[in-house]
């Protein structure tokens, strides 16, 4: 059920009832929406609220609840992602390079349907666009219809692990297409999802977009980041005991503009992921980040580089301006460094989440593993 608004909703006796006598039907629809289970992903409740607003466009309660539903089931990152021209162009180029005429394409995490439509435009015989969230899947169907591609694309509102060949798809896919990574390549369960897809839903030797990725770490200086995430005092009071809650910061593109991050050394690879044959075993990487500039390490930023197709890369490193954010790990205290200083770190993942710690007791061997996208 939708969370009730404590001030506005008391049956139908919210403020609108006193000023708009013709809203009784609309109020009844809102009351029904409030008690409608959300087990269908919000579809039924959203339909009731949409009907309410068709009758009474300025119905305050319906507007609030519909906005709440949309925020609940349609993550806000969808919109800057769709507006990311560099990301869209890279995917379009990779899809054109890898999709062949007549291919069966499986698009996992289809969202609004953009990558599915790119695959259809590239000549796919048919695209099966898998979107787990019913409200998003319903909108994707309309977007695809608006672009006259309903005959080339089938939207499947299921978790990809539940797809059955011969029922949901007539045959296995020639190409597995996805964009289900977060800023650390792990957070949306990409490795397990793609491993299942390549084994159970794809033909032997199927092509994959993206193909691979590297997760990297880089020491950075940012007084503004420290002042924002760890203010030392306010109005003369010492706040330092609160800093223990600020060991990691999710930095959005807007944050990066407001809190400039200055690199103090090159990126160092932590993990390599092969999306054509994902390994979902936990992994640990001990690396030494070498600083080549004098300054103060306020954080280690973790970023990625993905290869969509040979020669076609996307990244969220410090030079990129796309929609992906970055994760910054803050040491207990800022660390002054000079050229040649080594900063040992330990990174670990369980195929879904990443942690990074500062190995202050580790020895700086100066040895780095070099990984390249192929």
């Amino acid at each position: 059920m939708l969370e009730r608004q404590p001030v506005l909703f008391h049956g139908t006796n919210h403020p609108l009832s006193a000023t708009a006598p013709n809203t009784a039907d609309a109020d009844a629809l809102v009351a029904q929406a409030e008690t409608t289970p959300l087990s269908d992903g919000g579809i039924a409740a959203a339909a009731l609220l949409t009907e309410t607003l068709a009758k009474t466009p300025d119905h305050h309660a319906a507007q609030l609840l519909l906005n709440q539903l949309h925020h609940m089931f349609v993550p806000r990152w969808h919109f800057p992602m769709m507006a990311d021209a560099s990301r869209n162009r890279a995917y379009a180029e990779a899809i054109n390079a890898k999709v062949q005429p007549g291919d069966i394409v499986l698009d996992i995490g289809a969202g609004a349907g953009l990558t599915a439509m790119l695959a259809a435009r590239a000549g796919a015989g048919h695209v099966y666009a898998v979107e787990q969230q019913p409200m998003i899947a319903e909108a994707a169907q309309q977007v695809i219809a608006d672009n006259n591609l309903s005959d080339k694309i089938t939207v499947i509102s299921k978790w990809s692990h539940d797809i059955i060949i011969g029922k949901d798809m007539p045959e296995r896919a020639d190409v597995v297409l996805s964009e289900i990574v977060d800023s650390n390549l792990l957070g949306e369960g990409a490795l397990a999802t793609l491993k299942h897809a390549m084994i159970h839903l794809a033909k032997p030797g199927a092509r994959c977009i993206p193909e691979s990725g590297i997760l990297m770490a880089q020491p950075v200086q940012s007084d503004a980041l420290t002042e924002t995430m760890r203010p030392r005092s306010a109005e003369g009071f010492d706040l330092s005991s609160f800093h223990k809650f600020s060991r990691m910061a999710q930095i959005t593109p807007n944050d990066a503009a407001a809190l400039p991050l200055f690199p103090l050394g090159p990126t160092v690879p932590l993990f390599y992921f092969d999306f054509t044959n994902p390994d979902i075993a936990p992994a640990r990487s001990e690396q030494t980040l070498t600083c080549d500039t004098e300054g103060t390490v306020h954080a280690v930023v973790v970023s990625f580089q993905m290869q969509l197709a040979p020669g076609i890369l996307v990244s969220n490193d410090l030079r990129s301006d796309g929609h992906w954010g970055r994760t910054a790990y803050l040491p207990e205290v800022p660390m002054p460094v000079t050229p040649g200083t080594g900063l040992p770190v330990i990174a670990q993942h369980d195929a879904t989440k990443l942690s990074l710690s500062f190995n202050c007791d580790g020895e700086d061997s100066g040895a780095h593993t070099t990984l390249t996208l192929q």
Side-chain angles (χ1 to χ4, degrees):
M1 290 167 42
L2 287 174
E3 180 182 351
R4 296 178 67 90
Q5 300 292 329
V7 176
L8 291 177
F9 299 112
H10 304 283
T12 57
N13 295 319
H14 52 69
L16 283 177
S17 296
T19 58
N22 296 323
T23 62
D25 289 346
D27 290 342
L29 288 170
V30 169
Q32 186 179 349
E34 286 186 277
T35 59
T36 297
L38 302 182
S39 54
D40 65 346
I43 293 292
L48 289 166
L49 295 169
T50 300
E51 183 181 351
T52 302
L53 293 172
K55 294 175 181 292
T56 313
D58 62 347
H59 197 288
H60 182 55
Q63 291 174 349
L64 291 176
L65 281 173
L66 190 59
N67 286 340
Q68 185 179 341
L69 265 180
H70 290 167
H71 277 264
M72 185 183 301
F73 290 111
V74 185
R76 301 297 93 183
W77 49 257
H78 276 278
F79 306 104
M81 178 183 70
M82 291 188 295
D84 188 339
S86 297
R87 171 257 187 192
N88 296 342
R89 189 178 312 112
Y91 263 87
E93 291 175 357
I95 289 168
N96 285 337
K98 303 198 79 169
V99 172
Q100 299 173 5
D103 274 347
I104 300 298
V105 176
L106 172 62
D107 182 14
I108 300 177
L114 175 59
T115 48
M117 292 188 293
L118 289 171
R121 190 172 68 184
H126 203 83
V127 182
Y128 294 90
V130 179
E131 174 52 55
Q132 181 183 8
Q133 213 299 312
M135 192 178 293
I136 298 176
E138 186 179 75
Q141 283 185 312
Q142 187 59 54
V143 170
I144 290 163
D146 291 344
N147 288 277
N148 301 312
L149 286 169
S150 297
D151 61 330
K152 300 281 289 183
I153 302 171
T154 297
V155 177
I156 304 173
S157 185
K158 297 179 75 169
W159 193 33
S160 63
H161 288 249
D162 294 333
I163 289 176
I164 300 172
I165 299 298
K167 179 180 177 182
D168 300 302
M169 295 173 57
E171 60 180 297
R172 293 176 178 241
D174 300 288
V175 179
V176 175
L177 168 62
S178 69
E179 207 274 61
I180 53 174
V181 299
D182 69 350
S183 60
N184 288 333
L185 297 180
L186 297 167
E188 294 187 45
L191 295 181
T193 294
L194 292 176
K195 185 176 185 67
H196 174 271
M198 296 305 288
I199 293 173
H200 298 286
L201 305 176
K203 296 173 184 174
R207 284 148 274 146
C208 192
I209 305 171
E211 297 177 342
S212 57
I214 293 177
L215 206 56
M216 306 170 291
Q218 185 172 29
V220 301
Q221 176 171 305
S222 179
D223 292 291
L225 175 64
T226 299
E227 290 167 5
T228 299
M229 298 302 300
R230 290 180 172 173
R232 287 171 295 216
S233 64
E235 296 298 323
F237 296 105
D238 182 357
L239 303 178
S240 56
S241 291
F242 208 71
H243 293 175
K244 64 184 179 181
F245 300 120
S246 180
R247 297 181 178 180
M248 182 181 74
Q250 297 292 346
I251 301 175
T252 68
N254 287 339
D255 291 336
L259 309 171
L261 305 171
F262 301 101
L264 294 176
T267 59
V268 172
L270 299 174
F271 301 105
Y272 171 81
F273 301 108
D274 178 1
F275 295 132
T276 67
N277 184 26
D279 183 354
I280 59 173
R284 175 186 175 102
S285 175
E286 297 188 27
Q287 300 292 339
T288 298
L289 313 184
T290 300
C291 299
D292 56 17
T293 302
E294 183 175 356
T296 301
V297 176
H298 292 116
V300 168
V301 170
V302 174
S303 61
F304 69 77
Q305 185 179 78
M306 276 199 307
Q307 178 166 292
L308 304 183
I312 302 174
L313 307 176
V314 292
S315 177
N316 69 338
D317 65 19
L318 296 185
R319 297 167 297 178
S320 69
D321 59 358
H323 77 283
W324 283 290
R326 306 175 184 97
T327 304
Y329 293 86
L330 285 66
E332 187 172 346
V333 295
M335 301 178 180
V337 295
T338 57
T341 300
L343 177 63
V345 297
I346 300 172
Q348 301 175 85
H349 76 77
D350 58 6
T352 61
K353 295 181 179 64
L354 176 78
S355 70
L356 185 140
S357 56
F358 296 87
N359 186 18
C360 296
D361 296 327
E363 296 182 1
D364 181 7
S365 66
H368 295 164
T369 301
T370 300
L371 299 175
T372 57
L373 289 169
Q374 311 222 340

